[in-house]
């Protein structure tokens, strides 16, 4: 197994920290929206709200830098197989997903940087723009439908990852991490539900050849709020987003990178296994 360069680890931790900050902000504002009956914001909208504060722009610049670190981490992680997923079919799919995740977060980092410099961003329009471009291509409806299936599948994988607590294998055990585990688990599951919803929007857009039916996080919030007991469901989803933000912070603090030296480090999965066999 190759050893990852030393600079990878701080870049990874900075990236997870920034990502966690974004989701904590999104979840917090969604929780306020559920309480007041207002509209919940997606990542861009939530960060634009932050810009109105006295220290908003410097904080946005730091978040943009952190998200750029996360994007770099995901791309090189997939390209160099820094998490030792292997070259088999399952490993290849996982590594491709890491690279795609990095590219998506690179776009978000660029949007946040524009906000920090005083520019304007239209949150929630990216999915519709992408869908519109795909629908204009040959077999465009099939392409959008395939994209929807992939995104729904990714959401399902997150739900399973949270339900089975598979992430514990890559987290260093500490008493604090153990206390945060339930919130992290709920956050990963909630994140998977939201991703699956976004995938379903792509499927509806493909079915009706209508890019306006596509959408991102803000549309997922609006859909939940429009259902029966919508404000309660939105509140639950918002708490889940806060939990996912905490999970990202846990990753920033305690993630074990298999291609970096970690002898003697006990993972949460190993500690739980020891307790079960004791």
């Amino acid at each position: 197994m190759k050893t990852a360069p030393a600079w990878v680890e701080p870049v990874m931790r900075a990236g997870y920290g920034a990502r966690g900050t974004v989701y904590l902000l999104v979840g917090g504002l969604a929780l306020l929206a559920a309480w007041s009956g207002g509209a919940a914001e997606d990542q861009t909208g939530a960060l634009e709200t932050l810009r109105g504060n006295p220290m908003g722009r410097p904080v946005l610049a730091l978040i943009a830098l952190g998200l750029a670190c996360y994007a770099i981490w995901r791309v090189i992680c997939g390209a160099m197989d820094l998490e030792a997923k292997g070259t088999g079919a399952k490993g290849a799919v996982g590594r491709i997903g890491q690279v795609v995740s990095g590219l998506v977060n690179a776009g978000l980092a660029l949007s946040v940087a524009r906000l920090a410099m005083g520019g304007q961003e239209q949150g929630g329009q990216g999915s519709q723009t992408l869908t519109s471009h795909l629908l204009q291509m040959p077999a465009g409806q099939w392409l959008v439908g395939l994209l929807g299936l992939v995104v729904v599948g990714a959401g399902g994988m997150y739900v399973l990852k949270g339900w089975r607590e598979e992430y514990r294998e890559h987290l260093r055990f500490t008493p604090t991490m153990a206390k945060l585990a339930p919130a992290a688990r709920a956050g990963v599951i909630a994140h998977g539900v939201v991703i699956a919803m976004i995938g379903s929007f792509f499927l509806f857009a493909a079915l009706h050849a209508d890019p306006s039916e596509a959408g991102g996080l803000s549309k997922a919030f609006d859909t939940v709020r429009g259902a029966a007991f919508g404000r309660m469901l939105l509140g639950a989803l918002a708490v889940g987003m806060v939990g996912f933000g905490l999970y990202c912070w846990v990753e920033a603090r305690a993630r074990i990178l298999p291609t970096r030296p970690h002898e003697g480090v006990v993972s949460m999965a190993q500690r739980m296994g020891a307790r079960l066999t004791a």
Side-chain angles (χ1 to χ4, degrees):
M1 183 186 297
K2 288 185 178 180
T3 300
W7 59 266
V8 166
E9 199 162 346
V11 167
M12 173 191 73
R13 300 197 189 284
Y16 275 117
R19 193 182 188 215
T21 300
V22 171
Y23 276 95
L24 284 169
L25 183 60
V26 168
L29 290 176
L31 198 57
L32 288 175
W35 179 266
S36 65
E41 301 281 1
D42 63 1
Q43 295 100 319
T44 304
L47 291 168
E48 193 158 3
T49 301
L50 176 63
R51 186 173 63 176
N53 293 309
M55 291 296 293
R57 289 193 181 184
V59 172
L60 284 174
L62 289 174
I63 292 174
L65 180 60
L67 289 173
C69 287
Y70 184 77
I72 293 169
W73 150 246
R74 296 299 279 177
V75 171
I76 64 172
C77 183
M80 299 173 61
D81 195 18
L82 298 182
E83 291 190 334
K85 291 184 177 295
T87 55
K90 184 178 179 181
V93 169
R95 291 170 64 185
I96 290 170
Q98 289 173 334
V99 173
V100 171
S101 171
L103 295 176
V104 170
N105 279 277
L108 181 57
L110 184 60
S111 295
V112 178
R114 289 191 187 120
L115 287 174
M117 292 186 290
Q120 298 292 326
E121 293 292 328
Q122 290 187 327
Q125 299 300 312
S127 298
Q128 294 182 5
T129 301
L130 173 61
T131 304
S132 179
H133 286 321
L134 289 175
L135 286 174
Q136 294 173 27
M137 298 173 65
Q141 282 182 263
W142 288 100
L143 290 174
V144 176
L146 179 60
L147 176 61
L149 288 174
V150 170
V151 175
V152 168
M157 289 177 65
Y158 264 104
V159 171
L160 286 175
K161 178 181 178 181
W163 184 258
R164 296 173 179 172
E165 297 182 279
E166 295 174 355
Y167 51 84
R168 295 183 306 176
E169 298 176 7
H170 306 293
L171 293 177
R172 184 178 70 254
F173 175 83
T174 67
T176 301
M177 299 305 155
K179 291 176 183 177
L180 291 174
R185 183 186 189 192
V188 175
I189 292 172
H191 186 59
V193 170
V194 169
I195 291 176
M197 290 180 66
I198 292 171
S200 72
F201 299 150
F202 280 117
L203 291 175
F204 281 115
L207 183 63
H208 301 128
D210 183 1
S212 68
E213 295 202 29
L217 187 56
S218 59
K219 183 163 184 174
F221 284 149
D222 288 342
T223 301
V224 169
R225 189 183 57 180
F229 305 103
R231 287 174 66 176
M232 292 177 61
L233 291 174
L234 178 59
L237 196 58
V239 170
M241 291 296 96
V242 171
F244 187 73
L246 289 173
Y247 163 75
C248 290
W249 275 7
V250 167
E251 292 268 12
R253 181 71 179 85
R255 188 172 182 84
I256 301 169
L257 189 56
T259 49
R260 287 291 301 159
H262 57 278
E263 290 79 7
V265 176
V266 178
S267 72
M268 293 184 68
Q270 289 171 328
R271 181 59 178 255
M272 291 298 294
R275 285 183 177 179
L276 291 173
T277 57

